[in-house]
Each structure stands twice: as C-alpha cells, then as structure tokens.
Amino acid sequence: MSHALHFNLSRFYFIYYFFVGAFVPYWGLYLSSESFSPADIGILMSLFQVSRIIAPNLWGWLADHTRQRVRWIRTTAFLGLFGFAAIFWAHDFMTMFVVMAALSMFTSSTLPLSESLLLAHLASTNGHYSKIRLWGSWGFIVASILLGYLTDWFGIKSLLWFILLVQCVLFGLTWKLPEAHVPPHANDSFSVWKILKQPAVISLLVGCAMMVTAHGLMYNFYSIYLAEHGYSKGMIGWLWALGVICEIGIFIKMPWIMSRFKLKTILVASLLIGVVRFSMMGLVPDHLGLLLLAQTMHAFTFGSFHAAAVEIVTQYFNGRHQAKGQAIYNSVAYGIGGALGGLLGGFSLQYLGGQLTFTLAALFPLLGAAIVMFGLHLSQPYARSGMFSH
C-alpha cells in the first residue's frame, strides 16, 4: 500500500472514531443533563443501532451497484453533519427523537461503507486491516480523554459544538478518499441471499449480535453508571481510553495472532472473555482496580472480536457483494444486537438497577459463544484465505 493511500485512509479512520469517542462516552451524560429518564435515553441512543438494521443495506447496495463507494461515503457524511446541526433546537423527547433518528440514518452508514472501501484497497495492495483500523482507535482515545476534561471545565453542553466541528472535518476528509477498483470475483454469480441463508453465516451473525447486545448496554449507559458510583468525567474518559489503548495493542498483534490461531477460535475466545468482563462490571463497580482490569479486556471483546468477524464476513461476502456483506454484518450485529442491548438496558436499569443489569449482560456473550462454537464452520467452497494472513 502506498504511503499516500495509507495516510488518507488512516486519518479518515482517526477522525471518524474521534467522533465516536466524543459521542459514545458522553452523549448519554448530555441526555441525562437534559432530564431524560434512563428508559428515554435507552430509546434515543438505540436509534443509532435501529438505523443500522436498514440504512447501511441501502447505502451498501448503492455502493455495490454504482461501484462508487466514496461518493456514498461523502453523501452520508454530509447528511450526518446536516442532521446533527438541528440538535441545538432539540430539548423535548419527540424533537430529540426526530433529530437523532435523522442523524443516525446517515452516520450509521458511513462506517460499513468505509470498511468495504478499505477492504477493497487491501485486496489489491496486500495490506493489513489492523494497521489502518488502529488509527481509529487512537482517534477514540484522544477524544474520550479530551472530552472528559473539556466537559468538566466548560460543561456538558460544550459537547455539541465539539461534535459539530469534528463532523465538519470528517466531511472535508471524504474528498481525499481514493476510490477502489473491485475486479470481478467468482462469487459474483451467487445471489447475496444464497450466501446469507447458509447456517454458518446465520450462526456468525447471531453470535456476533449477542456480543454487541452486551456492548449496546455499555455504550449507552456505562458513563452514567460510573457517574452514579462517584467517578468524575475525567476518570470516565480515562476508563474508556484504557479499553481502546488495549484494543490498539491487539490490532497491532492481529497479523501474528491470525497466523497462529483459527478465526473461529479467536471469535469464541473473545466472546468468553466478554462473559468475564461484563460480570466484573456488574459485580465490582466501586473497585477501581478491578474496573481497570475489566477495561483491558476490551482488547478482546471488541478488538480481536471485531477483527475476526470482519475477516470472516469478507470470506463469505466478496466481489460485488463486499459492501452489502459489511452492511449486513453491521445491520444484524450492531443494529439488532446494539438496539436490543440499548432498549433492554434502559428499562432494566430503571427497574433493576445498574449492578444487576450489567451482571445479567454477561449472559449474552455466553450465548453467543455457544452459537458460534456449534454453528460456525469455515469450510465453504468459496471462502478465501484471510486478509490478515498475507
């Protein structure tokens, strides 16, 4: 991969996840400051996951059909920026619902389109996904730490202006993304539904959705949960950052790990570590040392989990189905799974409390591990060797 291509893709991932690092840890705190209840916050935050069920598939189909991924990345980034600008006038539940629904329809589609663009470039340059993706992790770290202190100093409402600025930068960077040429592939003759209905693919998607269900609770409510247990916004930012720092470490090591372990083994191990992590989050919220240990497990519950899942999806959905495959993965795992975690988590927190809710969340990755262990078999005739193994 050329230096210019690596630089353009890396900085786009850095800024995109800079936005995620500003939004995920602190948006729930902003909504709480606007006097929304946990159930309201669960509904509002879950709009981003619900939109992933539909929106990425539409944009993914357009990207594959027109073979112009960059065009649609640019479109979703602009519409996401335009939608977020209306947030300054949203204070009651219905107005906030409409604005966040519009915003989520576009921002939820930018990532799977970018993933398919990156994977298309890697297929022709023999590059490593993890070497680009780790720059997104750095962006998340910088934002989560920086926003922790900024919101402590200037108030939580300063978050709105910061996110608006980041979205402006993100849209500007879409003009520097290079389009990728996708050559014809043997799988082009397959219908995407023929691929999707395979038991192994279904097991992969459902198992991944179980992991993301637990994470949907964490993304929506972990900062609120920590604040209720007396942690400052600065400390909350550092806890989020620690998880992503460990995630970077695992991304750096993924080529080595994938050369020595099967993708299925990595995925199942990641899910089982998720069981331990969420149990600790629920059982010991007042023990900072154990919370720090739980956060280091993000290296596996997101890092190795996501890297292995993306690679397996790429094995089944390639050629003209590449963008659709990433969209379907995002829709099922992060859309359905994330929405389920956010919605159930909001009501569970309101009626069962935070500790029991986070402890029960460990059941989802446990179920996911069983589904993947017994249902995923990477022996399809059109599966190909992994991007990481080059």
Side-chain angles (χ1 to χ4, degrees):
M1 180 178 289
S2 70
H3 175 74
L5 177 58
H6 188 280
F7 176 73
N8 285 326
L9 291 170
S10 297
R11 68 178 178 179
F12 182 82
Y13 265 74
F14 181 91
I15 295 299
Y16 180 84
Y17 279 95
F18 197 98
F19 162 76
V20 176
F23 190 90
V24 171
Y26 301 107
W27 195 251
L29 291 172
Y30 170 74
L31 293 176
S32 182
S33 75
E34 292 285 298
S35 300
F36 291 107
S37 70
D40 289 340
I41 294 172
I43 294 171
L44 291 170
M45 294 292 285
S46 294
L47 289 171
F48 284 85
Q49 285 79 35
V50 171
S51 67
R52 286 180 170 183
I53 301 171
I54 302 172
N57 293 292
L58 169 62
W59 299 107
W61 179 85
L62 288 170
D64 282 334
H65 183 71
T66 62
R67 299 183 184 273
Q68 294 181 331
R69 288 170 171 80
V70 173
R71 172 185 175 185
W72 301 111
I73 292 172
R74 188 175 299 137
T75 300
T76 56
F78 172 75
L79 293 174
L81 166 62
F82 184 78
F84 183 78
I87 209 78
F88 291 89
W89 292 273
H91 300 289
D92 61 277
F93 179 81
M94 286 308 302
T95 307
M96 184 67 76
F97 183 95
V98 172
V99 172
M100 288 185 64
L103 169 65
S104 62
M105 285 295 290
F106 306 113
T107 55
S108 64
S109 304
T110 303
L111 180 60
L113 288 170
S114 303
E115 297 275 60
S116 68
L117 176 70
L118 172 59
L119 291 167
H121 279 298
L122 293 178
S124 61
T125 60
N126 205 30
H128 291 302
Y129 171 86
S130 58
K131 290 183 178 179
I132 302 293
R133 177 59 180 79
L134 67 83
W135 283 102
S137 301
W138 280 118
F140 188 103
I141 290 169
V142 174
S144 61
I145 294 174
L146 181 61
L147 263 293
Y149 291 109
L150 285 177
T151 52
D152 269 337
W153 295 336
F154 301 109
I156 194 66
K157 288 182 172 55
S158 63
L159 180 67
L160 302 182
W161 293 101
F162 196 85
I163 291 178
L164 182 64
L165 175 61
V166 174
Q167 286 196 303
C168 288
V169 174
L170 183 69
F171 173 63
L173 289 180
T174 63
W175 296 91
K176 296 293 184 179
L177 291 178
E179 188 59 80
H181 171 66
V182 181
H185 193 277
N187 289 1
D188 288 350
S189 60
F190 287 103
S191 164
V192 70
W193 294 109
K194 186 174 182 179
I195 300 171
L196 185 59
K197 69 182 182 181
Q198 294 178 71
V201 174
I202 295 172
S203 297
L204 170 68
L205 296 174
V206 174
C208 288
M210 292 296 97
M211 176 71 104
V212 180
T213 297
H215 282 72
L217 167 69
M218 183 186 76
Y219 293 145
N220 286 7
F221 296 105
Y222 193 44
S223 294
I224 297 173
Y225 178 58
L226 291 172
E228 289 175 348
H229 283 268
Y231 295 95
S232 68
K233 295 185 182 67
M235 178 55 70
I236 291 170
W238 276 106
L239 281 165
W240 281 96
L242 173 62
V244 185
I245 289 170
C246 296
E247 170 191 311
I248 289 176
I250 208 74
F251 276 136
I252 293 172
K253 298 298 292 183
M254 282 313 295
W256 182 87
I257 293 171
M258 287 189 174
S259 69
R260 287 161 176 78
F261 298 96
K262 295 180 180 179
L263 291 171
K264 178 178 177 179
T265 301
I266 296 170
L267 200 59
V268 171
S270 300
L271 284 156
L272 292 176
I273 292 171
V275 177
V276 178
R277 182 188 185 188
F278 283 94
S279 297
M280 292 175 67
M281 291 165 67
L283 294 172
V284 291
D286 297 312
H287 196 299
L288 179 59
L290 292 178
L291 279 189
L292 291 169
L293 177 60
Q295 284 302 93
T296 66
M297 297 179 190
H298 192 71
F300 305 100
T301 67
F302 177 77
S304 58
F305 164 80
H306 180 67
V310 165
E311 175 58 20
I312 296 171
V313 170
T314 306
Q315 289 188 5
Y316 289 105
F317 298 89
N318 40 39
R320 69 183 179 91
H321 299 310
Q322 191 175 73
K324 288 192 289 288
Q326 293 301 322
I328 290 169
Y329 165 63
N330 272 272
S331 295
V332 176
Y334 291 91
I336 296 175
L340 182 63
L343 290 170
L344 290 179
F347 287 99
S348 181
L349 280 164
Q350 190 158 323
Y351 296 107
L352 299 180
Q355 288 190 252
L356 182 56
T357 296
F358 274 90
T359 304
L360 291 174
L363 295 175
F364 289 100
L366 180 62
L367 179 59
I371 292 171
V372 171
M373 187 180 299
F374 295 107
L376 178 63
H377 304 286
L378 296 178
S379 58
Q380 310 303 328
Y382 39 87
R384 59 175 180 79
S385 61
M387 200 84 67
F388 288 94
S389 62
H390 291 319

